Amino acid sequence: MTEEHDERTTEERDSDVDDTPVYPAVPETDADGDEESVPTASSARIHRPDSEHGTIPADGVGPDGEEPESAAVAAAATAETANEDSSEIRSDGVPASERNGGRPGLRPDGGARPANVDADGTLRDVEFTEPAEGVSQDVDSGAPDERVGVPERVDLDTPGYEIRSEMNDIETPDEKTWFMELDEAVIDDGRCIQCGTCVSACPSDSIDVGDDDLPKLVKMCTGCSLCWDFCPRGGLRYERQWKITGGDDNVSGAGDPITEFSAKVDDDWTGGAQDGGVVTGILATLLEAGEIDGALIATESEEEPWKAESYLATSREDLIENAGTIYNQTLALGNLDLDQWEHKLPDEPWENLSLALVGTPCEIEGIRALQDFEWEYGAQEEGVRAVDYTIALMCTKNFNYYSLMGEHLEEQRGISPDEIGKMDVLQGKLMVYDHDDRMMLEEDIENFHDAALKGCDECADFTGYAADVTVGSVGSADEYSSVIVRTEQGLKAWELTEPILEYHDLEDRSAIGGLQSWDKKKAFESLERPFDPDAPRFIDYADHAEHYGTVLNPHDSGH
């Protein structure tokens, strides 16, 4: 082919220029799929449609209750705008519409204004879609606001806590004490007395009760130290709490109470009660006088005979039905979340509610310590503050339910829990009666020592020094209770109850003092730390670990 010479003027040639943009050709490839690269077009400038210079405007994709503007419609609208602005030509020959993408709302870099800002830059109302609750996302057809759950039959192992230090190389601050320390030094060591104070103290509600009736961590621990500080077998120096609550005389002997009596309730319902029904009588009187709205006591589990559970009694009938003693713990202080008792309490602000708490001496030590500080205790806060009366039950030890009822009584002695109508610990003997009040067993309590909670050996508080009122059988004749009134609040409860009581001076104060001394001697032999009523109330974990030999920072050691 020969080259033809065009003799037209430049103006004549320009008038015939085809405005259609020219694109570089794409070379064909072999059928075998050999790699080919697209050649660069020499001296070729690619003209992009205006719709390709920006993004689809936010008002075309935002949730306005209408279908989003399609890409084709957006492109057409952009092209139309570009044609309207095509007369504005820059010196380099590039249309202004190509510079700004053909839309006044687009930035020169191709971005778009946020959907929640108008043309003047003012923030519009923003709407959010609430996430679905309790629904796992169907990845094939599920909506994007549905949560993805763990597939069935998949067990995801949580990495050990030591991974924390491996990932960030940060050492745990010495002043922080975590649930892991409490677990290492008390729970895993078998020293937990199941009082529930750690559950009540946790401000983040991270501690609950496991199936084994022991505290367990149910969500992230914040390292606030409160579970450790208030544990009577951990950071709480319980003998210091006696002194703070009751004075110097509570450190020796049986204390220096306001007054003491041997008493019983003179009523026909006391046959099923423990030693005269004094505790039930006091609580019923406080309820009927409007002094309290309920009493946190123990009840028998419906599923497991003679297993204690926490129960809020709000009537005289409630109290009489649950009269008597059950010899295992309820983790009472772990049941002060008033939401679980909301259906039984008056519909009033919690500041107006008043409760009584019946518990073992360690439980009373815990609640009194919690109340001494204005810290917030999560879901238990309202219940902790609502307790206005405390009644301690004289106690040398308590038992693990499954060990006492299952192994010792049922397996070794052939006594089924279903057959038992009453149990008592008196004069060093465990006594078991059937439903007709006939004795089935009378045996030295020492024979059941390995069924007792190990942590009880360290307790020197037989008579409940921190309580308003202490009640027990030691020091009084059969069918009478020994009553020790320790505080002005306790005296108020006694004076209200006095009209329904048959009482006289305490029969044998020396019996109470003698058992208190024996209990303290046993505690001194078991305690690994010094017994010091004048020392600070809280024991640092490092100090405890030094005496008990537990691990410092167990979470960094793969606990």
Side-chain angles (χ1 to χ4, degrees):
M1 179 179 290
T2 59
E3 182 178 356
E4 295 182 357
H5 180 67
D6 190 349
E7 298 181 347
R8 291 178 296 172
T9 65
T10 300
E11 291 78 4
E12 289 173 337
R13 288 197 302 270
D14 289 344
S15 64
D16 292 340
V17 170
D18 187 356
D19 290 335
T20 303
V22 179
Y23 302 97
V26 179
E28 296 180 358
T29 58
D30 296 338
D32 295 338
D34 294 338
E35 293 184 1
E36 295 284 355
S37 61
V38 179
T40 303
S42 60
S43 304
R45 176 180 170 277
I46 301 175
H47 174 80
R48 294 186 181 277
D50 290 342
S51 60
E52 294 186 20
H53 284 274
T55 59
I56 298 175
D59 58 1
V61 297
D64 290 332
E66 299 179 0
E67 291 294 325
E69 185 179 27
S70 69
V73 174
T78 305
E80 182 179 347
T81 305
N83 291 336
E84 293 175 358
D85 295 339
S86 61
S87 59
E88 184 183 346
I89 305 297
R90 204 172 61 183
S91 59
D92 59 2
V94 180
S97 59
E98 188 169 317
R99 278 181 283 139
N100 63 13
R103 281 186 177 269
L106 299 178
R107 303 202 311 266
D109 62 357
R113 288 194 180 93
N116 59 343
V117 178
D118 62 19
D120 297 326
T122 303
L123 187 66
R124 297 172 175 162
D125 293 335
V126 183
E127 296 182 1
F128 296 94
T129 302
E130 291 292 334
E133 295 183 1
V135 180
S136 295
Q137 180 174 341
D138 180 350
V139 296
D140 295 325
S141 59
D145 60 347
E146 295 177 353
R147 298 185 182 275
V148 178
V150 179
E152 293 183 3
R153 298 182 299 278
V154 173
D155 183 18
L156 299 181
D157 291 332
T158 301
Y161 195 87
E162 68 273 16
I163 196 173
R164 170 183 178 275
S165 57
E166 294 174 7
M167 291 175 62
N168 55 28
D169 197 28
I170 296 176
E171 295 183 1
T172 303
D174 291 337
E175 68 273 11
K176 290 181 77 70
T177 305
W178 307 76
F179 178 81
M180 291 79 164
E181 272 91 347
L182 179 69
D183 199 9
E184 173 80 9
V186 177
I187 303 170
D188 274 2
D189 197 36
R191 298 173 54 239
C192 177
I193 49 178
Q194 299 177 331
C195 62
T197 310
C198 59
V199 179
S200 191
C202 183
S204 59
D205 299 328
S206 298
I207 308 173
D208 205 344
V209 182
D211 294 336
D212 55 359
D213 296 330
L214 294 173
K216 69 173 183 177
L217 196 67
V218 294
K219 62 180 180 181
M220 182 178 293
C221 174
T222 64
C224 72
S225 307
L226 294 185
C227 64
W228 170 258
D229 290 341
F230 288 111
C231 173
R233 293 299 169 269
L236 180 65
R237 194 183 309 274
Y238 65 82
E239 66 271 21
R240 177 63 178 168
Q241 186 62 39
W242 305 350
K243 194 167 183 179
I244 291 170
T245 304
D248 292 344
D249 290 341
N250 275 356
V251 179
S252 61
D256 186 20
I258 294 175
T259 188
E260 304 160 298
F261 298 98
S262 293
K264 69 176 183 179
V265 175
D266 187 15
D267 207 328
D268 55 7
W269 56 262
T270 59
Q274 197 85 1
D275 304 315
V278 172
V279 173
T280 301
I282 292 174
L283 296 175
T285 300
L286 291 174
L287 270 174
E288 293 170 353
E291 283 291 312
I292 60 174
D293 299 294
L296 195 65
I297 61 173
T299 189
E300 184 180 0
S301 168
E302 294 182 0
E303 290 79 23
E304 299 175 278
W306 285 92
K307 187 175 191 299
E309 293 180 350
S310 284
Y311 180 76
L312 186 72
T314 54
S315 68
R316 184 173 182 270
E317 291 72 26
D318 261 357
L319 292 164
I320 293 173
E321 184 177 348
N322 290 285
T325 299
I326 303 178
Y327 289 95
N328 51 89
Q329 293 282 65
T330 66
L331 287 98
L333 301 191
N335 288 276
L336 286 173
D337 179 0
L338 297 188
D339 284 347
Q340 69 175 309
W341 311 115
E342 185 178 13
H343 62 289
K344 306 190 73 174
L345 290 169
D347 185 16
E348 295 183 17
W350 70 266
E351 294 90 345
N352 298 337
L353 297 176
S354 178
L355 302 178
L357 174 70
V358 180
T360 52
C362 55
E363 291 173 327
I364 306 304
E365 291 164 356
I367 187 66
R368 295 300 290 270
L370 289 167
Q371 290 179 331
D372 283 344
F373 294 89
E374 293 302 320
W375 297 330
E376 295 182 1
Y377 301 120
Q380 315 284 332
E381 167 77 11
E382 299 174 355
V384 168
R385 304 301 174 197
V387 174
D388 290 327
Y389 291 88
T390 58
I391 300 177
L393 305 175
M394 293 182 187
C395 179
T396 57
K397 64 181 62 179
N398 220 318
F399 297 92
N400 177 286
Y401 169 78
Y402 299 103
S403 181
L404 177 65
M405 306 304 296
E407 297 172 18
H408 279 269
L409 292 182
E410 186 164 27
E411 295 178 12
Q412 297 178 19
R413 293 165 176 82
I415 300 175
S416 170
D418 293 316
E419 303 175 63
I420 301 174
K422 182 180 177 180
M423 295 179 64
D424 203 351
V425 176
L426 189 62
Q427 298 175 348
K429 304 284 187 180
L430 174 66
M431 303 174 183
V432 180
Y433 303 84
D434 64 15
H435 293 283
D436 295 322
D437 207 28
R438 292 177 299 199
M439 183 175 286
M440 303 171 67
L441 177 74
E442 181 179 6
E443 193 171 335
D444 287 344
I445 192 67
E446 287 301 317
N447 295 339
F448 301 89
H449 180 74
D450 60 345
L453 299 175
K454 178 182 174 182
C456 292
D457 290 342
E458 299 181 32
C459 178
D461 191 6
F462 165 62
T463 56
Y465 286 138
D468 295 314
V469 179
T470 298
V471 181
S473 58
V474 177
S476 295
D478 291 349
E479 299 184 358
Y480 278 82
S481 291
S482 297
V483 182
I484 303 175
V485 179
R486 297 189 178 277
T487 67
E488 293 296 331
Q489 191 80 333
L491 184 60
K492 181 179 180 180
W494 170 264
E495 290 174 344
L496 287 170
T497 311
E498 184 181 358
I500 68 168
L501 297 175
E502 179 182 316
Y503 66 96
H504 47 264
D505 289 342
L506 183 62
E507 297 169 10
D508 192 353
R509 192 176 192 277
S510 64
I512 297 176
L515 193 50
Q516 173 67 65
S517 298
W518 174 86
D519 197 49
K520 187 175 292 186
K521 179 177 180 294
K522 178 197 65 178
F524 290 172
E525 294 171 351
S526 301
L527 273 173
E528 300 291 335
R529 63 169 179 82
F531 182 90
D532 187 356
D534 294 315
R537 176 161 20 188
F538 298 125
I539 305 167
D540 185 77
Y541 181 79
D543 291 341
H544 179 94
E546 181 180 350
H547 292 292
Y548 282 84
T550 49
V551 178
L552 289 173
N553 296 332
H555 42 286
D556 290 336
S557 306
H559 175 79

